[in-house]
Structure formats: structure tokens, C-alpha cells
Amino acid sequence: MEHSGMNVRNGPRTGPARERELLLLGLLRKREMHGYQLSEFMENHLGLFFDIKKATAYNLLGKMEKKGWVTSRKEQEGKRPPRKVFAITPEGEALFQELLRGALPEYRRPAFPGNVPMLFMDALPPEELHELLDLRREAIRERMVALETHLDHIAHPLFDHQLLVLSAEQKWVEDLLKGLGE
Amino acid sequence: MEHSGMNVRNGPRTGPARERELLLLGLLRKREMHGYQLSEFMENHLGLFFDIKKATAYNLLGKMEKKGWVTSRKEQEGKRPPRKVFAITPEGEALFQELLRGALPEYRRPAFPGNVPMLFMDALPPEELHELLDLRREAIRERMVALETHLDHIAHPLFDHQLLVLSAEQKWVEDLLKGLGE
DNA sequence: TTGTACATGTAATTGGTTACATGATTAC
DNA sequence: GTAATCATGTAACCAATTACATGTACAA
């Protein structure tokens, strides 16, 4: 079912699924894991940075197995539900290396969907705008506190990144508030 | 075709389409426009911040018309293709107000898919890592230059936001490089 | 005469989430 | 006995993009 001739040379992977593949491969590279475990790990340790749902992980793992990037073996422990333990293959490792080198030097524009309403601040009466912006400031602050108290240093540099970005956002909102006459 | 009983109380809208609806409504609120025009406007003036494709805009406008948030009238100018000019309705205006007040005070976590590879920096030999991070730094710098020279001040505060975030990212990468022993 | 801008729209596909289905084990 | 945790997976759906289809006008 390879779609004909043209474009078989599927060069350096692009597209939105790329990062998730990289993420799963990179984690499996350190140690083999079963889907549930992987999913929990991401939720517990990487949930502040990335956001992947269980079903997504299971689906992706299935596809990646079909493509030969990972293999799985059944594992039964006691009477618990049987696990499907995934391990990265040499092809998977090669892809990982390629994806990593492709993605690392690139700048991928982050998405700030939460900024859309900022386009229309002029639609609100100044006092109400002030009030709402103040709430936003508070929401950002709360998030910073949450970050700082959640001292799980597994993902260290990303942690710093988050803090830097959050303080930039904080400053921005504060400047806006000042501009409104605090 | 309203899906039955439960949940008819569709309270303050949430979900991913929310911002795009807000965006389209907010723009139509200032003046009526046809799809192509709207789409071009977003590309030219808001393309640095948000990213909506033509087909998406056309589709959304169609749906929003069905829901009664906008109306359209045909307009023929000379022999050019006929235009479908959209205008916001009172219901649309009400929704706009609701969406705006709902979204403004919230903090929506931005997505940084480009940071996934940063999790796996330890998989690379230090000199190569240094090289790749340097390219990333350069990519960020280029983007800042592009922003600064693109002096289209329509979206003023968002512009500042972008710059603040970019310099945070820049600083982050530079700190990483320093940590590697510049 | 070739290409770009204008103008709208549909179809196919991708990517992801929610909701559903199953079932044993452990904790309260 | 009832809820939460462990464990996997599918089906339905939603959102968005790409690719396709159509056709005129104008500029190179």
C-alpha cells in the first residue's frame, strides 16, 4: 500500500506527530515500559510540559510497532492484567537519532491560544478590563507557585524554561495593567 | 438534531474551537468582511501570532452562519467572483461578549512542542549538542529580527508579548550553552 | 501563455480526545 | 460493597489541514 513512486523518499520526518514519536522513543530508549506505565510516567513527570492522553499513547505505540520502531512482548505478573512491554528497535533508535537532530536546532513557534482575547481588550470598559486582567495575572502567579512547589527535578532544564516564560507573561500583564493606570 | 436532553445547558463554551470563533467574531465585529478578506487579514496582520488556514476559516464561517452568529449577503463587484460578506448578528455579539469575558482572565498553558527534543540532550555528544543548540539560538535570534523589522503595529500588545517570550527563550538557550562550557 | 491574485467551497485525510467496554485486584 | 488502581484497547467524534475543483481578471 505504499503510495506510488513519487515521495517514497520520505526524508526527515515533519508534521505534528513528530514530537510525540520522539517523546515515546526517547523514553523507551532509557528503559522498556508498558503502555500504562509510559502514560503514567508522562502524566506524573512531564505533565507540566506536554500533554498526552492514554488513548493517544496506546494508539501511537500500536502504530509504531507496525512500523517496526518498537517491539512488544507480553508479560504477566501474578494475576494482574497482562502487560504489553515495549522496547525500542534498532530502526527506532535510528529514527530517534534522526528526529532528535532534526528537531533540536529548529525553532517551532509556540502557540498561545489564550492570547486571542487580548486582541479585543478595547471592547471592554476600562474598569472591567482591569479586573479581568488582574484575574489573569493571578492565574499566572498561581501557576508559578504550583511549578515552584512541585519540585520534581527530573525534567530540569524544561522546568527553568517554564519559569522564564511564565515570568515573561507575568511582566507583560503587569505592564498592561500599569498602562491602564494601576 | 439537538442531542437529547442532558447538557442542553451548554454554559460558557469551552474546547479548542473557542478561540477561533472568538477571533472571527471579534474581527467581524469591527467591520463586515468576506471570507477571503478575513483570511488575508489574519495572514497579513495576525500571522505572527495565530495561524488559521483558508479552508478552516471558510468552514468555521459556514458553521457559525448555521448557528446564527453571523449572517451573509452576496456581493458582486464588476466581474470578479461573487463575494459572501459576513456580518455579526446580535446573538453573535452576545457570544463574543461571553467568550471574551470567559477567556480573558484564564491562563491557557501555551504549547511548546519544539521543546520535546530538549528532554534528550544527554543522548548527544557534547560538541554536537553545542553545535545544534547554537543553531537553535540563531533561529530564535532570526525570528526576533523578523519581528522587529515587521513594524505592523496593528496588534500592538501581542507584539510585545512575542518579544518578551522570545527573549526568555533566547536567554534559556544561552544559559544552556554556558552550562556546557562556552 | 504562464502565473498570480481573487473568490469560494468540498473531500479526503490526519491527529487527537472522549467515551465506551472489559475485567481483576486492592483499599476503604 | 463500592470505589480506585491496574491494564488494554476500540469506536465515535471533533478539529484542522491538505489537496482538489472551479473560474475570472490581470500582469509578466
Side-chain angles (χ1 to χ4, degrees):
Chain A
M1 275 298 173
E2 293 302 345
H3 55 70
S4 56
M6 197 126 246
N7 253 339
V8 158
R9 175 138 195 39
N10 50 5
R13 271 205 121 49
T14 49
R18 200 178 55 151
E19 281 86 8
R20 300 186 190 242
E21 285 169 3
L22 178 58
L23 183 50
L24 291 179
L25 287 173
L27 294 177
L28 286 180
R29 214 175 145 261
K30 303 201 177 169
R31 59 193 162 100
E32 40 177 60
M33 287 195 257
H34 60 273
Y36 191 84
Q37 188 181 8
L38 208 36
S39 192
E40 288 290 291
F41 181 87
M42 290 189 284
E43 208 167 291
N44 296 334
H45 302 293
L46 308 175
L48 290 168
F49 315 113
F50 312 109
D51 188 13
I52 286 161
K53 296 292 148 62
K54 286 233 158 63
T56 309
Y58 280 121
N59 278 321
L60 257 185
L61 286 169
K63 281 177 198 171
M64 290 168 70
E65 191 178 12
K66 267 182 208 150
K67 304 208 190 182
W69 302 332
V70 298
T71 40
S72 72
R73 63 184 164 76
K74 274 269 162 58
E75 190 187 77
Q76 184 96 32
E77 197 169 289
K79 285 168 219 161
R80 294 233 213 77
R83 300 160 169 176
K84 223 174 131 178
V85 179
F86 292 92
I88 194 169
T89 63
E91 296 80 34
E93 173 65 23
L95 177 62
F96 170 81
Q97 296 289 337
E98 184 195 321
L99 287 176
L100 181 60
R101 288 175 170 79
L104 200 77
E106 273 180 29
Y107 176 72
R108 296 255 290 158
R109 204 224 295 169
F112 291 93
N115 284 349
V116 171
M118 300 309 236
L119 274 174
F120 307 117
M121 290 188 288
D122 59 344
L124 294 169
E127 331 86 56
E128 191 181 1
L129 176 58
H130 193 289
E131 208 178 300
L132 294 176
L133 279 181
D134 216 57
L135 287 170
R136 175 177 277 239
R137 193 173 55 76
E138 186 53 25
I140 294 172
R141 213 190 55 77
E142 270 168 30
R143 179 139 184 100
M144 286 186 84
V145 172
L147 250 186
E148 273 157 356
T149 57
H150 169 93
L151 289 189
D152 174 10
H153 277 176
I154 284 207
H156 204 292
L158 287 186
F159 196 84
D160 297 338
H161 178 269
Q162 201 88 340
L163 280 178
L164 278 171
V165 170
L166 276 171
S167 35
E169 301 231 52
Q170 198 174 41
K171 176 172 172 15
W172 183 56
V173 175
E174 275 163 6
D175 287 354
L176 284 172
L177 279 168
K178 270 177 212 147
L180 283 173
E182 180 100 346
Chain B
M1 275 298 175
E2 292 302 345
H3 55 72
S4 57
M6 197 124 246
N7 254 337
V8 159
R9 175 138 195 40
N10 49 7
R13 278 209 115 46
T14 49
R18 200 178 55 153
E19 281 87 7
R20 299 181 191 246
E21 286 169 3
L22 179 58
L23 183 50
L24 291 178
L25 287 173
L27 295 177
L28 286 179
R29 214 174 144 261
K30 305 203 175 166
R31 59 193 161 100
E32 41 176 60
M33 288 194 256
H34 60 272
Y36 191 83
Q37 188 183 9
L38 206 38
S39 192
E40 289 289 290
F41 180 87
M42 289 191 283
E43 208 168 291
N44 296 334
H45 303 294
L46 307 176
L48 291 168
F49 316 114
F50 313 110
D51 187 12
I52 285 160
K53 295 292 146 61
K54 287 233 157 63
T56 309
Y58 281 121
N59 278 321
L60 256 185
L61 286 168
K63 281 178 197 169
M64 289 167 71
E65 190 178 12
K66 266 181 208 152
K67 304 207 190 182
W69 303 332
V70 299
T71 40
S72 72
R73 62 184 164 75
K74 273 271 160 59
E75 190 186 78
Q76 184 97 33
E77 197 170 289
K79 286 167 216 160
R80 296 234 211 76
R83 299 160 169 176
K84 224 173 131 176
V85 179
F86 292 92
I88 193 168
T89 62
E91 296 80 32
E93 173 67 22
L95 177 61
F96 170 82
Q97 295 288 338
E98 185 195 320
L99 287 177
L100 181 60
R101 287 175 171 80
L104 201 78
E106 273 180 29
Y107 175 73
R108 296 255 289 158
R109 203 225 295 170
F112 292 93
N115 283 349
V116 172
M118 300 310 233
L119 275 175
F120 307 117
M121 291 188 287
D122 59 343
L124 294 169
E127 330 86 59
E128 191 181 2
L129 176 59
H130 193 289
E131 208 179 301
L132 294 177
L133 280 181
D134 215 57
L135 286 170
R136 174 176 278 238
R137 192 173 55 75
E138 185 52 25
I140 294 172
R141 211 191 55 77
E142 269 167 31
R143 179 141 183 99
M144 286 186 84
V145 172
L147 250 186
E148 274 159 356
T149 58
H150 170 92
L151 288 189
D152 174 11
H153 277 176
I154 284 204
H156 204 291
L158 287 186
F159 196 86
D160 297 338
H161 178 269
Q162 201 87 338
L163 280 178
L164 278 171
V165 170
L166 276 171
S167 34
E169 300 231 52
Q170 198 173 43
K171 175 171 172 14
W172 185 55
V173 176
E174 275 163 6
D175 287 353
L176 284 172
L177 279 168
K178 270 176 212 145
L180 284 173
E182 180 101 344

